Amino acid sequence: MTKSGPSAVAALYHWVHGKWTLLPARWRPFVVNMLVGMAIVVWIHLNPDSSMVKRQQDRGLDWLSRMVTNTPYAPQPDQPVVMVEVDSATYAQWGEPWLTPADRIARIIALLLDAEPAQILVDFDLSRRTDLAPLADILSRHQGGKAAKTQLIFMKTQASLLPANSRLPAFRDSALDELVASNDNLHWAAPLYRPDPDGVIRHWQLVIGGCENDRLVLLPSVQLLSVMLSDGVDKSLEALLAPDQQGCLAMPHFSGRIVLGSGKQIDLAGEQLQHRIVFALPPNPESGYFPVDWQGRAVPALTILSARDVLAAKRFSTGGLLTGAIVIIGASHRDSGDIHLTPVGQMPGSQVLANSITALQGLDQVQRPPFVLILLVDLLLILGVSWLFVVMSPFAATLVSSAVIALLVVPFSLLAFSQGVWLDFALPILAVQMRSVFAKATFSYHKVRRKGIKGVLK
């Protein structure tokens, strides 16, 4: 005869209670700590999107980013990056114009083209402007010049209002649209990122969806397009990522990945962790930027030049540094509105682009280790932490266990992070913190039972 529900529960309770009474008294706190610790870890893994878990993970990843930036553990770029900045001194010399003058952008590009870089990224919004004739003249002569192999990337932004019959915004028109469409070396790209609720930029947005004449248009981000051009990948993003979607009535669901010639894959639809930017280039390091091997010599991974100094030179020369390199032209003065918070400090948008390109070049997208390995690490840590809560006070156990986790797990996390694998030490620490709260609550409960509320308040 089958037992009813309450009877089955009662039988299970008596069985567990009988086994519990057979357990030596000195082992009971350890078992309780193990069960509580495992329950906390399981809850954390089952609730990865909870605000508490996300905050802890962000703190852990931010700390790792600060630790690896500008070190051999940071992503190593395939080619150096040179930034030509409209800095505060340049901005003041130009009379603090509302918009960066297009004729000066054109002159900078003309000087750079003589050095034959691989790519020039122009980090200014060139839509809704009527002063682009000098720039258009330089670009129209570009394809037949000696630097015809240099790829130029310009920023494309989107309108604020949605077109009729569309769930996607349209891309803004530019006086350069026709010229870009007719030249294989000129490209539009999207400069957008995904700021977190605290305003810090931690993640990139690799593809932007837009609507053009009731047709879906997918625009690659600057960093994605830069890597694709460097690797010779020339594919239609619409056919690759949204082959079944033609119109603009639905949001595109990316389902594909881009495979580079080296076999490296860039997943466009992965979890948020895969879209994390690993910052290699901090703002203004005292010891300079780490070196990379370039054309048989060591050069800084990032070189920053003032636009004022570039324009002052009759002929731009950096001893061959620019040949085959990536150049970014942008603004770093405060009035530009392009200064952003990152895990490694404030930096202009052009430097965020430099970090994104370096990360995509030198590192696979950040991945989690196998789930079995995560559970194994957590289990070993919980064993040690549970023992500490038996032989120490809750405060001392919390302090010692957090220190041990930091000393043992953090070095492995740094090594793994440099290879694009995130061994999350933040979750075990969060489990220890929650276990500490549970231990204090249990201690207070037993104290109240022994002494009563009045006894506790005395």
Side-chain angles (χ1 to χ4, degrees):
M1 185 172 71
T2 305
K3 293 184 179 180
S4 62
S7 299
V9 172
L12 177 62
Y13 170 78
H14 287 299
W15 181 84
V16 172
H17 185 265
K19 296 294 183 182
W20 180 255
T21 56
L22 295 176
L23 192 68
R26 65 179 183 276
W27 286 103
R28 293 178 186 177
F30 178 77
V31 173
V32 170
N33 288 332
M34 277 288 300
L35 294 175
V36 171
M38 285 301 297
I40 291 172
V41 168
V42 170
W43 180 87
I44 289 173
H45 283 293
L46 291 178
N47 295 272
D49 295 327
S50 70
S51 58
M52 178 175 62
V53 175
K54 279 190 171 182
R55 283 196 303 270
Q56 191 76 6
Q57 289 176 339
D58 281 339
R59 281 196 290 266
L61 278 169
D62 289 351
W63 184 85
L64 276 176
S65 293
R66 290 190 291 269
M67 289 294 292
V68 304
T69 187
N70 208 39
T71 71
Y73 295 103
Q76 303 296 303
D78 296 333
Q79 55 208 127
V81 178
V82 177
M83 285 174 48
V84 178
E85 290 187 341
V86 180
D87 53 17
S88 297
T90 304
Y91 183 59
Q93 186 188 63
W94 291 356
E96 300 186 352
W98 181 254
L99 295 174
T100 302
D103 60 333
R104 287 177 176 152
I105 297 175
R107 286 171 56 197
I108 292 172
I109 291 176
L111 288 167
L112 292 172
L113 286 174
D114 287 338
E116 301 183 59
Q119 298 174 13
I120 298 176
L121 285 57
V122 183
D123 189 22
F124 297 103
D125 183 5
L126 299 180
S127 60
R128 301 172 294 174
R129 294 184 61 162
T130 58
D131 62 339
L132 299 181
L135 181 57
D137 181 58
I138 292 293
L139 298 179
S140 62
R141 291 187 276 124
H142 166 56
Q143 191 163 8
K146 69 175 184 177
K149 293 183 179 179
T150 299
Q151 306 285 340
L152 286 100
I153 301 175
F154 302 97
M155 307 301 131
K156 195 78 164 174
T157 57
Q158 292 179 300
S160 56
L161 295 178
L162 299 181
N165 301 320
S166 175
R167 294 188 62 188
L168 299 169
F171 291 103
R172 292 191 174 103
D173 293 331
S174 169
L176 299 178
D177 281 337
E178 185 176 344
L179 184 60
V180 172
S182 64
N183 193 322
D184 292 338
N185 295 329
L186 307 181
H187 312 271
W188 290 117
L192 301 181
Y193 294 90
R194 294 174 178 169
D196 284 354
D198 57 3
V200 177
I201 291 179
R202 297 184 177 94
H203 304 89
W204 51 43
Q205 196 164 347
L206 290 177
V207 178
I208 305 295
C211 191
E212 188 174 286
N213 299 323
D214 296 328
R215 181 175 61 89
L216 171 67
V217 176
L218 299 182
L219 196 65
S221 65
V222 176
Q223 62 271 17
L224 178 59
L225 179 58
S226 174
V227 172
M228 290 174 65
L229 291 173
S230 295
D231 204 72
V233 176
D234 184 17
K235 293 182 180 179
S236 167
L237 289 178
E238 289 81 9
L240 183 66
L241 302 178
D244 300 325
Q245 183 172 340
Q246 303 297 326
C248 306
L249 295 178
M251 299 296 290
H253 298 285
F254 305 143
S255 58
R257 58 174 54 93
I258 294 174
V259 181
L260 303 180
S262 60
K264 178 178 179 178
Q265 297 184 359
I266 301 176
D267 195 336
L268 278 301
E271 61 173 319
Q272 189 179 39
L273 178 63
Q274 291 181 277
H275 299 276
R276 177 90 185 198
I277 305 171
V278 181
F279 286 83
L281 308 168
N284 306 314
E286 293 182 2
S287 57
Y289 290 98
F290 63 91
V292 296
D293 184 22
W294 181 241
Q295 299 177 351
R297 60 195 178 106
V299 301
L302 176 63
T303 300
I304 301 177
L305 304 173
S306 170
R308 179 181 62 170
D309 297 335
V310 172
L311 290 175
K314 293 182 179 180
R315 182 175 179 81
F316 190 50
S317 175
T318 57
L321 172 64
L322 288 182
T323 305
I326 293 177
V327 182
I328 304 175
I329 307 172
S332 61
H333 59 86
R334 290 290 172 183
D335 284 357
S336 67
D338 197 24
I339 308 298
H340 305 280
L341 290 172
T342 74
V344 298
Q346 285 190 339
M347 62 177 62
S350 52
Q351 192 167 359
V352 177
L353 294 180
N355 272 288
S356 299
I357 293 169
T358 298
L360 264 187
Q361 279 189 352
L363 192 69
D364 290 334
Q365 288 174 285
V366 178
Q367 305 282 345
R368 299 181 192 275
F371 186 67
V372 174
L373 178 60
I374 295 175
L375 287 182
L376 178 61
V377 172
D378 288 346
L379 178 61
L380 292 176
L381 290 172
I382 289 170
L383 281 170
V385 170
S386 299
W387 179 77
L388 289 175
F389 272 95
V390 170
V391 299
M392 296 181 179
S393 68
F395 174 79
T398 302
L399 187 64
V400 173
S401 56
S402 298
V404 170
I405 289 173
L407 290 174
L408 293 180
V409 181
V410 169
F412 289 105
S413 297
L414 286 173
L415 182 60
F417 196 58
S418 68
Q419 304 299 317
V421 178
W422 181 41
L423 181 60
D424 185 9
F425 66 89
L427 292 185
I429 290 179
L430 178 59
V432 169
Q433 293 172 345
M434 294 178 67
R435 177 66 187 90
S436 175
V437 172
F438 178 84
K440 291 176 182 177
T442 303
F443 178 78
S444 299
Y445 169 75
H446 287 297
K447 190 175 181 181
V448 168
R449 287 196 61 182
R450 289 196 313 269
K451 299 184 178 181
I453 296 178
K454 290 184 178 180
V456 173
L457 295 177
K458 287 182 180 180

